[in-house]
Amino acid sequence: MQEMKERLLTEQANLRKQLGTIANPTGAPDDFAARFPSYGDEQDENAQEVATYQDRLSIETNLQQSLQEVDTALVKIANSTYGTCENCGKAIPKERLKAFLAATLCTDCAAKQ
């Protein structure tokens, strides 16, 4: 369990670092808002700003969702519920947890969804 916790903490730090390159913290825990770039005042520069911002929004959403999953997994470790399927209550196989640290469903339940 300690190994999984360390891997989750490393992943949490990596996700926060990645988010910091494209977004600003909002003040709420692990909440970020994508930064709007400024390339200039020309029409083509404005179009590029909007395109970059849209890309950043998409990336920020994905990274923030991953960060939330990691945060939830760390809470489950603290509560001794990490590795238990949220659907059926069975243990999630260690191989699955090693492949997807924030897994919340066992292999069987994940296959059904």
Side-chain angles (χ1 to χ4, degrees):
M1 197 57 63
Q2 185 61 29
E3 174 191 351
M4 299 304 239
K5 181 178 180 180
E6 289 172 11
R7 289 181 59 202
L8 283 162
L9 289 170
T10 299
E11 181 66 13
Q12 183 185 57
N14 288 338
L15 290 166
R16 287 176 178 160
K17 183 178 179 180
Q18 289 176 31
L19 278 161
T21 65
I22 61 164
N24 296 323
T26 64
D30 284 340
D31 187 45
F32 292 80
R35 282 194 291 274
F36 194 89
S38 178
Y39 299 134
D41 295 328
E42 300 297 321
Q43 187 173 0
D44 61 331
E45 293 168 330
N46 291 340
Q48 183 60 38
E49 289 171 353
V50 171
T52 299
Y53 181 68
Q54 288 175 329
D55 290 343
R56 286 181 180 179
L57 276 175
S58 177
I59 294 167
E60 180 245 331
T61 298
N62 291 334
L63 290 172
Q64 200 154 331
Q65 180 179 350
S66 295
L67 181 57
Q68 183 179 3
E69 291 169 354
V70 168
D71 289 345
T72 299
L74 287 166
V75 169
K76 287 182 175 194
I77 286 176
N79 294 337
S80 300
T81 58
Y82 179 74
T84 302
C85 180
E86 290 183 351
N87 190 43
C88 69
K90 293 180 183 176
I92 299 172
K94 289 181 183 179
E95 297 79 26
R96 177 163 168 73
L97 289 171
K98 285 182 179 181
F100 180 43
L101 292 170
T104 59
L105 299 174
C106 69
T107 311
D108 292 338
C109 290
K112 291 176 186 174
Q113 287 192 345

Coordinates of all heavy atoms in Angstrom, one line a residue, residues 14-67:
N14 N 3.0 15.6 -10.4 CA 3.2 15.7 -11.9 C 2.0 16.4 -12.5 O 2.1 17.3 -13.3 CB 3.4 14.4 -12.5 CG 4.8 13.8 -12.2 OD1 5.7 14.5 -11.9 ND2 4.9 12.5 -12.3
L15 N 0.8 16.0 -12.1 CA -0.4 16.6 -12.6 C -0.5 18.1 -12.2 O -0.8 19.0 -13.1 CB -1.7 15.9 -12.1 CG -1.8 14.5 -12.8 CD1 -2.9 13.7 -12.0 CD2 -2.2 14.6 -14.2
R16 N -0.2 18.4 -11.0 CA -0.2 19.8 -10.6 C 0.8 20.7 -11.4 O 0.6 21.8 -11.8 CB 0.1 19.9 -9.1 CG -1.1 19.5 -8.2 CD -0.7 19.6 -6.8 NE -1.8 19.2 -5.9 CZ -1.7 18.8 -4.7 NH1 -0.5 18.7 -4.1 NH2 -2.8 18.5 -4.0
K17 N 2.0 20.1 -11.6 CA 3.0 20.8 -12.4 C 2.6 21.0 -13.8 O 2.7 22.1 -14.4 CB 4.3 19.9 -12.4 CG 5.5 20.6 -13.1 CD 6.7 19.7 -13.0 CE 7.9 20.4 -13.7 NZ 9.1 19.6 -13.6
Q18 N 2.0 20.0 -14.4 CA 1.4 20.1 -15.8 C 0.4 21.2 -15.9 O 0.3 22.0 -16.8 CB 0.9 18.8 -16.3 CG 2.0 17.8 -16.6 CD 1.4 16.4 -17.0 OE1 0.3 16.4 -17.6 NE2 2.1 15.3 -16.7
L19 N -0.5 21.2 -14.9 CA -1.6 22.2 -14.9 C -1.0 23.6 -14.7 O -1.5 24.5 -15.3 CB -2.6 21.9 -13.7 CG -3.6 20.8 -14.0 CD1 -4.2 20.3 -12.8 CD2 -4.7 21.5 -14.9
G20 N 0.0 23.7 -13.9 CA 0.7 25.0 -13.7 C 1.3 25.6 -15.0 O 1.5 26.8 -15.0
T21 N 1.5 24.8 -16.0 CA 2.1 25.3 -17.2 C 1.1 26.0 -18.1 O 1.4 26.8 -19.0 CB 2.9 24.2 -18.0 OG1 1.9 23.2 -18.5 CG2 4.0 23.6 -17.2
I22 N -0.2 25.6 -17.9 CA -1.3 26.1 -18.8 C -2.4 26.8 -18.1 O -3.3 27.4 -18.7 CB -1.9 25.0 -19.7 CG1 -2.5 23.9 -18.8 CG2 -0.9 24.5 -20.6 CD1 -3.5 23.0 -19.6
A23 N -2.4 26.7 -16.7 CA -3.5 27.3 -16.0 C -3.1 27.9 -14.7 O -2.0 27.6 -14.2 CB -4.5 26.1 -15.7
N24 N -3.9 28.7 -14.1 CA -3.7 29.3 -12.8 C -4.5 28.7 -11.7 O -5.7 28.4 -12.0 CB -4.0 30.8 -12.9 CG -3.0 31.5 -13.8 OD1 -1.9 31.2 -13.9 ND2 -3.6 32.5 -14.5
P25 N -4.0 28.5 -10.5 CA -4.9 28.1 -9.4 C -6.0 29.1 -9.1 O -5.8 30.3 -9.2 CB -3.9 28.0 -8.2 CG -2.6 28.1 -8.8 CD -2.7 28.8 -10.1
T26 N -7.2 28.6 -8.8 CA -8.3 29.4 -8.6 C -8.4 29.8 -7.1 O -9.2 30.7 -6.7 CB -9.6 28.8 -9.0 OG1 -9.9 27.6 -8.1 CG2 -9.6 28.4 -10.4
G27 N -7.7 29.1 -6.2 CA -7.8 29.4 -4.8 C -8.5 28.2 -4.1 O -8.2 28.0 -2.9
A28 N -9.3 27.5 -4.8 CA -9.9 26.2 -4.3 C -8.9 25.1 -4.4 O -8.1 25.1 -5.3 CB -11.2 25.9 -5.0
P29 N -8.9 24.1 -3.5 CA -7.9 23.1 -3.6 C -8.0 22.3 -4.9 O -9.0 21.9 -5.4 CB -8.3 22.1 -2.4 CG -9.1 23.0 -1.5 CD -9.8 24.0 -2.4
D30 N -6.8 22.2 -5.5 CA -6.6 21.5 -6.8 C -7.6 21.9 -7.9 O -8.1 21.1 -8.6 CB -6.7 20.0 -6.6 CG -5.4 19.5 -6.0 OD1 -4.4 20.1 -6.1 OD2 -5.4 18.4 -5.4
D31 N -7.9 23.2 -7.9 CA -8.8 23.8 -9.0 C -8.0 24.8 -9.7 O -7.3 25.6 -9.2 CB -10.0 24.4 -8.3 CG -11.1 24.8 -9.4 OD1 -11.3 24.0 -10.3 OD2 -11.6 25.9 -9.3
F32 N -8.1 24.7 -11.1 CA -7.3 25.5 -11.9 C -8.2 26.1 -13.0 O -9.2 25.6 -13.3 CB -6.2 24.7 -12.6 CG -5.1 24.3 -11.7 CD1 -5.3 23.2 -10.9 CD2 -3.9 25.0 -11.6 CE1 -4.3 22.7 -10.0 CE2 -2.9 24.5 -10.7 CZ -3.1 23.4 -9.9
A33 N -7.8 27.2 -13.6 CA -8.5 27.9 -14.7 C -7.4 28.1 -15.8 O -6.4 28.7 -15.6 CB -9.1 29.2 -14.3
A34 N -7.7 27.7 -17.0 CA -6.8 27.8 -18.1 C -6.5 29.3 -18.4 O -7.4 30.1 -18.3 CB -7.4 27.2 -19.4
R35 N -5.2 29.6 -18.7 CA -4.8 30.9 -19.0 C -5.1 31.3 -20.4 O -4.9 30.4 -21.3 CB -3.3 31.1 -18.7 CG -2.9 31.2 -17.3 CD -1.4 31.6 -17.1 NE -0.5 30.7 -17.6 CZ 0.0 29.7 -16.8 NH1 -0.4 29.5 -15.6 NH2 0.9 28.8 -17.3
F36 N -5.6 32.5 -20.6 CA -5.8 33.0 -22.0 C -4.5 33.6 -22.4 O -4.0 34.5 -21.8 CB -6.9 34.0 -22.0 CG -7.4 34.3 -23.4 CD1 -8.4 33.5 -23.9 CD2 -6.9 35.3 -24.1 CE1 -8.9 33.8 -25.2 CE2 -7.3 35.6 -25.4 CZ -8.3 34.8 -25.9
P37 N -3.9 33.2 -23.6 CA -2.7 33.7 -24.0 C -2.8 35.1 -24.7 O -3.9 35.5 -25.0 CB -2.2 32.7 -25.1 CG -3.5 32.1 -25.6 CD -4.4 32.1 -24.4
S38 N -1.7 35.8 -24.8 CA -1.8 37.1 -25.5 C -0.6 37.1 -26.5 O 0.6 37.1 -26.1 CB -1.6 38.2 -24.4 OG -1.5 39.4 -25.1
Y39 N -1.0 37.0 -27.7 CA 0.0 37.0 -28.8 C 0.1 38.4 -29.5 O 1.0 38.6 -30.3 CB -0.3 35.9 -29.8 CG -0.3 34.5 -29.3 CD1 -1.3 33.6 -29.6 CD2 0.7 34.1 -28.4 CE1 -1.3 32.4 -29.1 CE2 0.7 32.8 -27.9 CZ -0.3 32.0 -28.2 OH -0.3 30.7 -27.7
G40 N -0.9 39.2 -29.4 CA -0.9 40.5 -30.0 C -2.3 41.0 -30.4 O -3.3 40.4 -29.9
D41 N -2.3 42.1 -31.2 CA -3.6 42.7 -31.5 C -4.1 42.4 -32.9 O -5.2 42.9 -33.3 CB -3.6 44.2 -31.2 CG -3.4 44.5 -29.7 OD1 -3.9 43.7 -28.9 OD2 -2.7 45.5 -29.4
E42 N -3.3 41.8 -33.7 CA -3.7 41.5 -35.1 C -4.8 40.4 -35.1 O -4.8 39.6 -34.2 CB -2.5 41.1 -35.9 CG -1.4 42.2 -36.0 CD -1.8 43.4 -36.6 OE1 -2.6 43.4 -37.6 OE2 -1.5 44.5 -36.1
Q43 N -5.5 40.4 -36.2 CA -6.6 39.5 -36.3 C -6.1 38.0 -36.3 O -6.7 37.2 -35.6 CB -7.4 39.7 -37.6 CG -8.7 38.9 -37.7 CD -9.5 39.3 -38.9 OE1 -9.2 40.2 -39.7 NE2 -10.6 38.6 -39.1
D44 N -5.1 37.7 -37.0 CA -4.5 36.4 -37.0 C -4.0 36.0 -35.6 O -4.1 34.8 -35.2 CB -3.5 36.2 -38.1 CG -2.3 37.0 -37.9 OD1 -2.4 38.1 -37.4 OD2 -1.2 36.6 -38.4
E45 N -3.4 36.9 -34.9 CA -2.9 36.7 -33.5 C -4.1 36.4 -32.6 O -4.0 35.5 -31.7 CB -2.1 37.8 -33.0 CG -0.8 38.0 -33.8 CD -0.1 39.3 -33.5 OE1 -0.8 40.3 -33.2 OE2 1.1 39.3 -33.6
N46 N -5.2 37.1 -32.8 CA -6.4 36.9 -31.9 C -7.0 35.5 -32.2 O -7.4 34.9 -31.3 CB -7.4 38.0 -32.2 CG -7.0 39.4 -31.7 OD1 -6.1 39.5 -30.9 ND2 -7.6 40.4 -32.2
A47 N -7.0 35.1 -33.5 CA -7.5 33.8 -33.8 C -6.7 32.7 -33.2 O -7.2 31.7 -32.6 CB -7.6 33.6 -35.3
Q48 N -5.3 32.9 -33.2 CA -4.4 32.0 -32.6 C -4.6 31.9 -31.1 O -4.5 30.8 -30.4 CB -3.0 32.3 -32.9 CG -2.0 31.3 -32.4 CD -2.2 29.9 -32.9 OE1 -2.5 29.7 -34.1 NE2 -2.0 28.9 -32.1
E49 N -4.9 33.1 -30.4 CA -5.1 33.1 -29.0 C -6.3 32.3 -28.6 O -6.3 31.5 -27.7 CB -5.4 34.6 -28.5 CG -4.1 35.4 -28.5 CD -4.4 36.9 -28.3 OE1 -5.6 37.3 -28.2 OE2 -3.5 37.6 -28.1
V50 N -7.4 32.4 -29.4 CA -8.6 31.6 -29.1 C -8.4 30.1 -29.3 O -8.8 29.3 -28.5 CB -9.8 32.1 -30.0 CG1 -11.0 31.2 -29.9 CG2 -10.2 33.6 -29.7
A51 N -7.7 29.8 -30.4 CA -7.4 28.4 -30.6 C -6.5 27.8 -29.5 O -6.8 26.7 -29.0 CB -6.7 28.2 -32.0
T52 N -5.5 28.5 -29.1 CA -4.7 28.0 -28.0 C -5.4 27.9 -26.7 O -5.3 26.9 -26.0 CB -3.5 29.0 -27.8 OG1 -2.7 29.0 -29.0 CG2 -2.6 28.6 -26.6
Y53 N -6.3 28.9 -26.4 CA -7.1 28.8 -25.2 C -8.1 27.6 -25.2 O -8.2 26.9 -24.2 CB -7.9 30.1 -25.1 CG -8.8 30.2 -23.8 CD1 -8.2 30.2 -22.6 CD2 -10.2 30.1 -23.9 CE1 -9.0 30.3 -21.4 CE2 -10.9 30.2 -22.8 CZ -10.3 30.2 -21.5 OH -11.1 30.2 -20.4
Q54 N -8.7 27.3 -26.4 CA -9.5 26.2 -26.5 C -8.7 24.9 -26.2 O -9.2 24.0 -25.5 CB -10.2 26.1 -27.8 CG -11.3 27.2 -28.0 CD -11.9 27.2 -29.4 OE1 -11.2 26.9 -30.4 NE2 -13.1 27.6 -29.5
D55 N -7.6 24.8 -26.8 CA -6.7 23.6 -26.5 C -6.4 23.5 -25.0 O -6.4 22.4 -24.4 CB -5.4 23.7 -27.3 CG -5.6 23.5 -28.8 OD1 -6.7 23.0 -29.2 OD2 -4.7 23.9 -29.6
R56 N -6.0 24.7 -24.4 CA -5.7 24.7 -23.0 C -6.9 24.2 -22.1 O -6.7 23.5 -21.1 CB -5.2 26.0 -22.6 CG -3.8 26.4 -23.0 CD -3.4 27.7 -22.6 NE -2.0 28.0 -23.0 CZ -1.4 29.1 -22.8 NH1 -2.0 30.1 -22.1 NH2 -0.2 29.3 -23.3
L57 N -8.1 24.7 -22.5 CA -9.3 24.3 -21.8 C -9.5 22.8 -21.8 O -9.8 22.2 -20.7 CB -10.5 25.0 -22.3 CG -10.8 26.4 -21.9 CD1 -12.0 27.0 -22.6 CD2 -11.1 26.5 -20.4
S58 N -9.3 22.2 -22.9 CA -9.5 20.8 -23.1 C -8.4 20.0 -22.2 O -8.8 19.1 -21.5 CB -9.4 20.4 -24.5 OG -9.5 19.0 -24.7
I59 N -7.2 20.4 -22.4 CA -6.1 19.8 -21.6 C -6.3 20.0 -20.1 O -6.2 19.1 -19.3 CB -4.7 20.3 -22.0 CG1 -4.5 19.9 -23.5 CG2 -3.6 19.9 -21.1 CD1 -3.3 20.7 -24.1
E60 N -6.7 21.2 -19.7 CA -6.9 21.5 -18.3 C -8.0 20.6 -17.7 O -7.9 20.1 -16.6 CB -7.3 23.0 -18.1 CG -7.5 23.4 -16.7 CD -8.9 23.8 -16.4 OE1 -9.6 24.3 -17.4 OE2 -9.4 23.7 -15.3
T61 N -9.1 20.4 -18.5 CA -10.2 19.6 -18.0 C -9.7 18.2 -17.8 O -10.0 17.6 -16.8 CB -11.4 19.6 -19.1 OG1 -11.8 21.0 -19.2 CG2 -12.5 18.7 -18.6
N62 N -9.0 17.6 -18.7 CA -8.5 16.3 -18.6 C -7.5 16.1 -17.4 O -7.6 15.2 -16.7 CB -7.8 15.8 -19.9 CG -8.8 15.6 -21.0 OD1 -10.0 15.4 -20.8 ND2 -8.4 15.7 -22.2
L63 N -6.6 17.0 -17.3 CA -5.6 17.0 -16.2 C -6.3 17.1 -14.9 O -6.0 16.4 -13.9 CB -4.5 18.0 -16.4 CG -3.6 17.8 -17.5 CD1 -2.7 19.1 -17.7 CD2 -2.7 16.6 -17.3
Q64 N -7.3 18.0 -14.8 CA -8.0 18.3 -13.5 C -8.8 17.1 -13.1 O -8.9 16.7 -12.0 CB -8.8 19.5 -13.6 CG -9.2 20.1 -12.3 CD -9.5 21.6 -12.3 OE1 -8.9 22.3 -13.2 NE2 -10.3 22.0 -11.4
Q65 N -9.4 16.4 -14.1 CA -10.2 15.2 -13.8 C -9.2 14.1 -13.3 O -9.5 13.4 -12.3 CB -10.9 14.7 -15.0 CG -11.7 13.4 -14.8 CD -12.4 12.9 -16.0 OE1 -12.5 13.6 -17.0 NE2 -13.0 11.7 -15.9
S66 N -8.1 13.9 -13.9 CA -7.1 13.0 -13.4 C -6.6 13.3 -12.0 O -6.4 12.4 -11.2 CB -5.9 12.9 -14.4 OG -6.3 12.4 -15.7
L67 N -6.4 14.6 -11.8 CA -5.9 15.0 -10.4 C -7.0 14.7 -9.4 O -6.7 14.2 -8.3 CB -5.6 16.5 -10.5 CG -5.1 17.1 -9.2 CD1 -3.9 16.4 -8.6 CD2 -4.9 18.6 -9.3

